[in-house]
């Protein structure tokens, strides 16, 4: 069997700060296969962008990988220098749309000029060949081919974002890492972009690591999902499995904090508090202080990721994963019954 496209294995990333070493990613593991759309979700500050930056060698100067491996087609890449990564991996193999990339287009250059610059650094293709490639990807993301020579200001916000996605795609990378690609856009523009992501899947054999705090987007467009809380991956697996049978309290509470077209009537969950900033080794469950079902052992070691119902591709890192969801459902239904009773008595009073 050939090596997976990307393997992240036990990855820990820390930032040096005035208060000490801040752990942004702790022992994170996942795999992305050819053609797979993989979604990474979690609240602000959970470590999603840090993971993406570690993969492409784009960590801030005070950040470092302190343990774990990143393998691209079986080759360890976590120790490659910036120039090796840039020469060999970035753009051609893995292209990265950083968070906040809306402002990354140079306002003084036509989009085609920016594409040619990137193309000349990373390929031997001629201007004409590069322009053809850019036109093809413009078409795939729903922009008119004739507009490759426009300046960024001639595009709307959603079109600029699609132009950035086209630039990330036009050198035929194997993996695109898109960090919050639609967060700054309104819902209609977000929809337009995700409609085009589907086309990406059908027409290019590309894999996607989609990072967002909005898990409903991932449930609609990704094959697999990982849900992260304060440096740790709480749960990951096939999207259908995690959607239908979530086991980590953070995963199911986070999932239920968003509207879901499959369950339009349910109340939205509210998770109290915020993810903590963690200094040093994270040898406990980072969700324990916010978890209604936390037990003493949640603080006695980082819970290992265990298969859910014997399915090794769906894992949850919770010592109470066998019972927490049941407890949550039964508590939720008793709340609803209580609420329902109240509604009936109120209606009685109106009558
Ligand atoms: N250069 C840095 N120096 C110190 N701490 C940092 C640095 N970059 C990020 N952090 C911290 O690392 C943690 C994870 O940050 P990261 O940006 O990876 O989160 P995120 O999940 O992408 O959040 P968001 O959804 O807001 O983009 C946070 O506590 C953040 O404050
Ligand atoms: Mg981020």
């Amino acid at each position: 069997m050939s090596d997976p496209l990307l393997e992240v294995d036990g990855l820990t990333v820390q930032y040096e700060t005035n208060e000490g070493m801040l752990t942004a990613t702790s022992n994170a593991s996942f795999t992305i296969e050819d053609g797979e759309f993989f979604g990474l979700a979690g609240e602000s500050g959970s470590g999603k962008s840090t993971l993406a930056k570690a993969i492409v060698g784009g960590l801030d100067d005070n950040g470092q990988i302190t343990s774990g491996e990143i393998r691209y087609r079986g080759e360890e890449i976590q120790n490659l220098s910036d120039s090796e990564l840039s020469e060999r991996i970035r753009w051609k193999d893995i292209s990265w749309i950083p968070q906040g990339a809306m402002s990354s287009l140079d306002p003084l250059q036509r989009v085609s000029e920016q594409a040619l610059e990137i193309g000349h650094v990373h390929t031997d293709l001629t201007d004409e060949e590069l322009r053809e490639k850019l036109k093809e990807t413009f078409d795939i993301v729903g922009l008119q081919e004739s507009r490759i020579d426009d300046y960024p200001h001639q595009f709307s916000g959603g079109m600029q974002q699609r132009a950035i996605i086209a630039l990330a795609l036009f050198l035929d990378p194997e993996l695109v890492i898109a960090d919050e690609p639609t967060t700054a856009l309104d819902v209609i523009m977000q929809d337009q972009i995700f409609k085009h992501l589907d086309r990406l899947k059908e027409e290019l054999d590309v894999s996607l690591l989609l990072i967002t705090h909005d898990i409903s987007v991932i449930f609609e467009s990704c094959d697999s999902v990982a849900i992260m809380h304060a440096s740790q991956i709480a749960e990951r697996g096939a999207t259908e499995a995690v959607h239908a049978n979530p086991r980590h309290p953070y995963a199911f509470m986070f999932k239920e904090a968003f509207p879901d077209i499959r369950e339009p009537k349910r109340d939205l969950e509210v998770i109290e508090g915020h993810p903590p900033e963690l200094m040093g080794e994270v040898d406990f469950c980072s969700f324990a202080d916010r978890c209604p079902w936390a037990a003493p052992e949640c603080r006695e070691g980082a819970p290992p990721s265990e298969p859910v119902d014997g399915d090794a591709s769906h894992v949850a890192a919770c010592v109470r994963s066998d019972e927490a969801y049941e407890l949550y459902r039964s508590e939720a239904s008793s709340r609803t019954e209580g609420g329902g009773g109240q509604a009936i008595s109120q209606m009685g009073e109106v009558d």
Side-chain angles (χ1 to χ4, degrees), residues 12 26-28 58-59 90 97 112 114 131 146-147 154 165 169-170 174 178 201 228 240 251 292 323-324 328 335 350:
T12 298
S26 180
N27 197 21
L59 282 173
R90 272 190 224 143
I97 304 171
S112 55
Q114 306 189 35
R131 288 176 60 83
S146 58
R147 301 202 60 171
Q154 292 172 279
I165 294 173
L169 284 168
F170 91 113
E174 304 274 330
K201 198 165 190 157
M228 225 177 147
E240 278 309 316
E323 53 179 353
Y328 174 68
R335 274 204 306 268
V350 172

Side-chain angles (χ1 to χ4, degrees), residues 15 17 22 24 43-50 60 62 99 277:
Y15 292 106
T17 71
L22 181 146
E43 279 161 289
S44 183
S46 54
K48 306 179 298 294
S49 296
T50 298
D60 302 336
N62 62 331
Q99 188 166 7
E277 291 210 335

Side-chain angles (χ1 to χ4, degrees), residues 43-120:
E43 279 161 289
S44 183
S46 54
K48 306 179 298 294
S49 296
T50 298
L51 249 176
K53 290 178 191 173
I55 293 168
V56 295
L59 282 173
D60 302 336
D61 288 344
N62 62 331
Q64 55 172 307
I65 295 173
T66 52
S67 61
E69 288 178 7
I70 302 166
R71 289 184 289 275
Y72 180 75
R73 295 222 180 277
E75 180 195 352
E76 280 185 36
I77 59 169
Q78 77 276 2
N79 296 323
L80 293 186
S81 69
D82 218 40
S83 60
E84 280 174 312
L85 267 171
S86 161
E87 222 166 83
R88 296 187 28 213
I89 307 279
R90 272 190 224 143
W91 291 102
K92 263 187 311 186
D93 288 332
I94 302 178
S95 78
W96 173 41
I97 304 171
Q99 188 166 7
M102 278 291 270
S103 51
S104 70
L105 289 173
D106 181 345
L108 302 177
Q109 268 194 327
R110 299 173 195 279
V111 175
S112 55
E113 289 168 342
Q114 306 189 35
L116 291 188
E117 264 182 25
I118 300 164
H120 288 151

